[in-house]
């Protein structure tokens, strides 16, 4: 019986993780569940899975949740605040941690789990985008097992040899697939005035609002390029992106002999979640079977075409920040989080997201961060600059 902490249990990845766990009660038990402020869903999850701990960041909601759980007869203890996330991630009774907190807020708990030597199922791409070498050093120091949960990185991991030592000598290129999101065929003029509802209407995947907007701008793919660089220890030039509207081929590895190995499946996050939970074995995920007889075609488009470069200018920032000063990816991620929040609040236009990201990168001077405190400080300063950029665009 493996005991698991689910960080971000009420989000899309967290809910899907619990759906997989629900199918295998003989193999997994839930040790802790965490949420930012969705106390209602967390209450229902605690009643079903009976974790030892539940964590809420909002203190007022936490007090109410504890009272409701006690009244219902549930013995789950409610903890409060960001430090409690680190506690349940690094707890000695935990075997695995699903890191599904959205954004840079999940970095500290990811590092805590890594230093404690857990099997870390990484669905929080910002841990690598922001943490970079600091995070990877924590993985090495703690002896953690790092398994990617993003569908693209899970696909690459499944397409690589089991022996990691062989990776540098056999990888020619990693090819991430992208659906193109809801604006794949829109003109730049149409895109600039897109609404939050249109940006969140992803054609293939069911995701939270922030990552849906990132998919529409292609910033999610930019963050995944950065993540892949650290996960698989390759150079930025060895990573490419291709648009694949059907989202059936989740990503590919091109080897030095130019053969290509790909991982295919239905667009359902329960697949990579189940793989991470059971690795190196496999268990049922609940996702639908891929029916090749129903597929008329699998198509691919170059992200480097003039039309797609005009639609998705933010994607190029991935390679630019990887080749720039260390810490540039921290700035990019922070600016993007601020810009997306402003867009969802209808404070800036859709095309302003890229403008904020670019202006923040150009306007912020900094020293390369060497530890968690320096990363947090740089993240905060980048957010301050990004908020100023948003304010100027609102005027």
């Amino acid at each position: 019986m493996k005991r698991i902490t689910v960080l971000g249990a009420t989000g899309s990845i967290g809910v899907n993780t619990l759906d997989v766990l629900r199918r295998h009660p003989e193999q997994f038990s839930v040790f802790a569940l965490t949420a930012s402020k969705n106390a209602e869903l967390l209450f229902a999850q605690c009643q079903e899975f009976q974790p030892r701990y539940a964590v809420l960041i909002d203190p007022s909601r936490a007090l109410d949740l504890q009272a409701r759980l006690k009244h219902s007869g549930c013995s789950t203890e409610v903890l409060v605040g960001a430090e409690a996330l680190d506690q349940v991630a690094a707890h000695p009774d935990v075997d695995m941690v699903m890191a599904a907190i959205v954004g840079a807020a999940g970095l500290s708990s990811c590092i805590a789990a890594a230093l404690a030597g857990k099997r870390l199922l990484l669905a929080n791409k910002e841990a690598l985008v922001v943490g970079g070498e600091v995070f990877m050093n924590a993985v090495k120091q703690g002896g953690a097992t790092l398994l990617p949960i993003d569908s693209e990185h899970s696909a690459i991991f499944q397409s690589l040899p089991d022996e990691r030592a062989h990776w540098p000598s056999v990888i020619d290129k990693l090819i991430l697939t992208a659906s193109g999101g809801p604006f794949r065929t829109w003109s730049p003029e149409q895109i600039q005035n897109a609404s939050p509802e249109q940006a969140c209407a992803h054609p293939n995947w069911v995701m939270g609002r922030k990552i849906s907007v990132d998919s529409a701008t292609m910033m999610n793919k930019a963050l995944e390029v950065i993540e892949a660089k650290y996960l698989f220890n390759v150079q930025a030039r060895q990573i490419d992106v291709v648009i694949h509207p059907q989202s059936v081929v989740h990503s590919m590895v091109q080897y030095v002999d130019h053969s290509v190995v790909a991982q295919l499946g239905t667009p359902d996050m329960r697949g990579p979640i189940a793989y991470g939970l059971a690795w190196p074995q496999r268990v049922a995920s609940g996702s639908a079977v891929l029916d090749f007889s129903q597929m008329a075609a699998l198509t691919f488009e170059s992200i480097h075409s003039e039309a797609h470069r005009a639609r998705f200018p933010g994607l190029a920032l991935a390679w630019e920040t990887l080749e720039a000063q260390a810490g540039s990816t921290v700035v990019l991620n922070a600016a993007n989080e601020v810009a997306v929040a402003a867009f969802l609040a209808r404070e800036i236009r859709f095309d302003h997201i890229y403008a904020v990201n670019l202006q923040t990168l150009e306007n912020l001077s900094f020293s390369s961060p060497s530890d968690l405190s320096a990363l947090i400080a740089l993240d905060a300063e980048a957010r301050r600059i990004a908020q100023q950029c948003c304010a100027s665009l609102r005027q």
Side-chain angles (χ1 to χ4, degrees):
M1 181 72 73
K2 299 294 184 182
R3 294 159 294 190
I4 183 168
T5 285
V6 182
L7 302 172
T10 59
S12 175
I13 296 295
V15 168
N16 277 309
T17 298
L18 292 177
D19 185 67
V20 176
L21 294 175
R22 186 180 291 119
R23 299 167 189 275
H24 305 283
E26 74 290 349
Q27 295 189 48
F28 307 103
S29 66
V30 177
F31 178 83
L33 298 172
T34 85
S36 175
K37 54 187 179 182
N38 192 343
E40 195 62 37
L41 180 53
L42 189 61
F43 173 72
Q45 291 173 339
C46 288
Q47 286 191 307
E48 177 180 0
F49 291 95
Q50 299 287 311
R52 187 187 305 182
Y53 296 111
V55 178
L56 269 174
I57 302 302
D58 188 310
S60 60
R61 287 184 170 91
L63 287 173
D64 179 65
L65 176 63
Q66 185 69 83
R68 291 182 65 194
L69 287 171
K70 184 177 180 180
H71 184 263
S72 71
C74 180
S75 62
T76 299
E77 179 182 350
V78 178
L79 306 177
V80 186
E83 290 185 0
L85 297 177
D86 295 358
Q87 178 183 337
V88 297
H91 197 285
D93 290 344
V94 170
D95 300 299
M96 290 187 286
V97 174
M98 170 59 76
I101 296 174
V102 175
L107 176 59
S108 180
S109 53
C110 282
I111 289 179
L115 289 172
K118 306 303 181 185
R119 172 181 288 198
L120 182 53
L121 310 181
L122 191 65
N124 173 284
K125 59 174 61 70
E126 291 81 5
L128 279 165
V129 173
V130 177
E133 293 297 339
V134 173
F135 174 70
M136 293 306 296
N137 287 338
V139 171
K140 294 174 186 175
Q141 182 180 337
T145 300
L146 183 61
L147 297 175
I149 299 301
D150 268 354
S151 61
E152 296 82 0
H153 301 97
S154 176
I156 289 171
F157 184 77
Q158 294 181 56
S159 300
L160 285 168
D162 292 338
E163 183 52 61
R164 292 177 185 238
H166 294 161
W167 291 0
S169 63
V170 299
I171 295 174
D172 181 43
K173 184 180 290 186
L174 305 181
I175 305 171
L176 302 174
T177 57
S179 69
F183 304 144
R184 181 177 65 86
T185 61
W186 287 35
S187 70
E189 292 74 26
Q190 290 175 302
I191 290 173
Q192 72 175 12
N193 293 310
S195 69
E197 290 76 21
Q198 289 170 322
C200 290
H202 196 282
N204 298 339
W205 297 92
V206 177
M207 305 179 291
R209 282 163 62 80
K210 194 271 182 183
I211 193 171
S212 293
V213 175
D214 282 348
S215 179
T217 62
M218 204 70 85
M219 272 303 302
N220 72 319
K221 212 55 53 177
L223 299 179
E224 287 169 12
V225 168
I226 297 167
E227 187 180 8
K229 189 267 183 199
Y230 290 107
L231 274 172
F232 304 110
N233 194 27
V234 295
Q235 300 300 312
R237 59 178 174 75
Q238 292 179 278
I239 307 169
D240 202 0
V241 174
V242 64
I243 288 185
H244 170 50
Q246 295 81 23
S247 297
V248 170
V249 177
H250 293 150
S251 278
M252 299 165 272
V253 177
Q254 180 174 299
Y255 285 90
V256 292
D257 61 0
H258 291 175
S259 62
V260 176
V261 176
Q263 189 266 340
L264 286 70
T266 51
D268 188 329
M269 283 306 301
R270 291 176 296 177
I273 288 168
Y275 182 76
L277 287 168
W279 180 86
Q281 307 302 320
R282 291 183 183 262
V283 296
S285 67
S287 60
V289 173
L290 193 61
D291 186 352
F292 286 93
S293 69
Q294 299 300 310
M295 278 186 260
L298 297 179
T299 61
F300 302 88
E301 303 166 11
S302 173
I303 194 63
H304 306 294
S305 70
E306 183 177 348
H308 283 324
R309 287 202 307 270
R311 288 186 184 97
F312 309 118
L315 179 58
L317 295 176
W319 290 274
E320 293 176 16
T321 53
L322 283 174
E323 293 169 357
Q325 179 182 355
S328 296
T329 58
V330 180
V331 177
L332 175 60
N333 180 76
N336 186 63
E337 288 190 16
V338 170
V340 170
F343 167 70
L344 287 171
R346 304 179 192 277
E347 296 171 355
I348 62 173
R349 289 201 319 249
F350 182 82
D351 62 320
H352 286 162
I353 296 172
Y354 170 69
V356 171
N357 293 343
L358 186 61
Q359 289 175 27
T360 305
L361 285 165
E362 292 176 342
N363 295 337
L364 181 58
S365 299
F366 57 92
S367 300
S368 298
S370 59
D371 54 29
L372 179 58
S373 62
L375 290 171
I376 292 172
L378 178 56
D379 177 83
E381 180 62 11
R383 289 172 190 275
R384 185 184 70 80
I385 299 295
Q387 286 164 355
Q388 290 179 347
C389 294
C390 288
S392 68
L393 290 166
R394 287 195 294 268
Q395 294 175 355

